[in-house]
Amino acid sequence: MSKIEVPRTAPVPLADLVAMNTEVEQDVRAAWDGIIASSGFIGGEAVSQFEELWAGSCGTDHAVAVANGTEAIELVLRALGIGEGDEVLLPANTFIATAEAVVLSGATPRFLDVDPATLLVTPEIVRAAITPRTAALIAVELYGNMPRMVHLAHLAASSGIALIEDAAQAQGSTLNGRAAGSFGTAGCFSFYPTKNLGAWGDAGCVVTNDAAVAAAVRSLGNHGRAPGDGNAHQAIGRNSRLDALQAVVLTAKLKRLDEWTAARREAMEIYRRTLNHELVRFVEIEPHVASSYHQNVVLVTERDAVQEQLRRDGVRTGIHYPVPCHLQPPYRRYAQGPLAIAEETAGRLLSLPLFPHITERQIEYVCDCVHRCLDQVAGRSRGTRRSYG
Ligand SMILES: Cc1ncc(COP(=O)(O)O)c(C=O)c1O
């Protein structure tokens, strides 16, 4: 086996957060000085300002900042009165937090299979799963790709169930020009540091056009307080508030989000032009979606061997996600049977390096490494076929 020479383009990280954070560092330091001077560390002007900007960016009437993306989903479910005795539909191939939020709300998760090309739920899959106990669908905008949200919204409305968007991975994604998060009763975002819009700690947000949902989420995330009266508690809530440091980081990064998203899209064009092998294919983007490309996910033969070879070549990759939610031990009790596509694709998913500052040479290097590795895989399988004649 010939040894690959590692050129100066390696190592290639899966993501480069330092480059993004360095860009906003000066803005954040300046804003942070003001926060120290006022000593208003949680909520306050910085948080309200970010909420206004994020609602504007999503095209919704309201944005309520919360502590993280998991609680954004859980608080929306609770705000909608969804809990014990209710079933909530969600895809099996999501980050575990989507399912976790459903269980924490008291409701029962019902896992769905997905389309093999896009890895997203479709209206057909959802329609077939709705029962009289279904209270909501959580549509996950996986990797920044968006399901057929207009159809799903009609289906949800005609079926009398809520549509909640898990837009944790879709900051900056649009469908026909309309932002992720704005199609459902509410959209839930995570601003975990590795997200396209990432804080310097945990952070999340709920966006909605429904004033009552916004008010309920705000109250539930602030110990169930009644508006305007810090000592009146109208519900058993929790502490899920955003702090001012995260708000100023997010405000500074939001100014650059369009530019960073454009850079991700350009990088994906280079990947699509350069990566071309019979044993690998990109996850398909739904028509009319401009993905934020939170992850660049391909389906590849002999994934584990390819990942290990790439590691040796200095290329960092990820797997989002190796085990579907319904097969994770604590969630098996909710599984209603095998989910063929989610289970089969989990063994072939591979996330390749993608971040706004990635260079063309880095992408070419990654593609070159993948090609060489897959040529070896193809050679091996031809050899195997020959030997079994
Ligand atoms: C699809 C999805 N849903 C929910 C979450 C939960 O967000 P957080 O980690 O901020 O709680 C994440 C992020 O990690 C995610 O990727």
Side-chain angles (χ1 to χ4, degrees), residues 73-83 104-106 216 220 235-238:
I73 301 170
E74 185 194 340
L75 291 173
V76 165
L77 289 166
R78 289 188 58 194
L80 293 172
I82 295 171
L104 290 173
S105 77
L220 288 169
I236 298 176
R238 62 159 65 226

Side-chain angles (χ1 to χ4, degrees), residues 68-70 94-95 97-98 166 168-169 190 195 321:
N68 55 66
T70 313
T94 179
F95 180 55
T98 320
D166 181 343
Q169 302 187 359
S190 163
K195 296 291 192 267
Y321 299 92

Side-chain angles (χ1 to χ4, degrees), residues 8 18 208 245 251 274 284 313 327 373:
R8 283 200 306 277
V18 174
T208 180
L245 170 61
T251 300
T274 317
E284 269 175 40
D313 293 339
L327 298 182
C373 193

Side-chain angles (χ1 to χ4, degrees), residues 37-53:
S38 73
S39 289
F41 294 111
I42 292 180
E45 188 52 36
V47 173
S48 308
Q49 192 195 349
F50 172 70
E51 288 177 336
E52 206 175 301
L53 290 170

Side-chain angles (χ1 to χ4, degrees), residues 51-132:
E51 288 177 336
E52 206 175 301
L53 290 170
W54 190 239
S57 169
C58 294
T60 56
D61 294 340
H62 310 275
V64 182
V66 295
N68 55 66
T70 313
E71 289 176 353
I73 301 170
E74 185 194 340
L75 291 173
V76 165
L77 289 166
R78 289 188 58 194
L80 293 172
I82 295 171
E84 224 179 301
D86 295 321
E87 292 184 353
V88 175
L89 306 176
L90 71 157
N93 61 334
T94 179
F95 180 55
I96 202 73
T98 320
E100 191 177 57
V102 174
V103 175
L104 290 173
S105 77
T108 302
R110 285 289 172 238
F111 294 107
L112 304 178
D113 212 352
V114 287
D115 178 87
T118 62
L119 303 185
L120 301 173
V121 295
T122 64
E124 295 73 31
I125 292 170
V126 174
R127 190 177 296 112
I130 293 174
T131 72

Side-chain angles (χ1 to χ4, degrees), residues 148-269:
R148 285 147 59 192
M149 294 307 299
V150 175
H151 293 78
L152 291 176
H154 284 141
L155 176 60
S158 62
S159 310
I161 67 171
L163 172 62
I164 299 167
E165 280 172 87
D166 181 343
Q169 302 187 359
Q171 300 103 346
S173 296
T174 59
L175 168 59
N176 281 322
R178 193 168 146 192
S182 68
F183 289 83
T185 311
C188 304
F189 290 92
S190 163
F191 302 120
Y192 183 76
T194 55
K195 296 291 192 267
N196 291 24
L197 182 65
W200 289 1
D202 276 309
C205 197
V206 172
V207 296
T208 180
N209 289 321
D210 187 323
V213 170
V217 169
R218 196 175 290 287
S219 169
L220 288 169
N222 190 16
H223 303 296
R225 283 194 168 101
D229 184 345
N231 291 314
H233 301 273
Q234 59 191 9
I236 298 176
R238 62 159 65 226
N239 175 356
S240 186
R241 300 175 297 217
L242 190 68
D243 64 67
L245 170 61
Q246 306 315 332
V248 298
V249 170
L250 293 168
T251 300
K253 285 193 171 181
L254 185 50
K255 291 191 192 122
R256 287 147 174 100
L257 184 62
D258 284 350
E259 194 187 305
W260 287 344
T261 304
R264 286 175 185 271
R265 289 177 183 151
E266 263 174 51
M268 282 306 298
E269 279 176 27

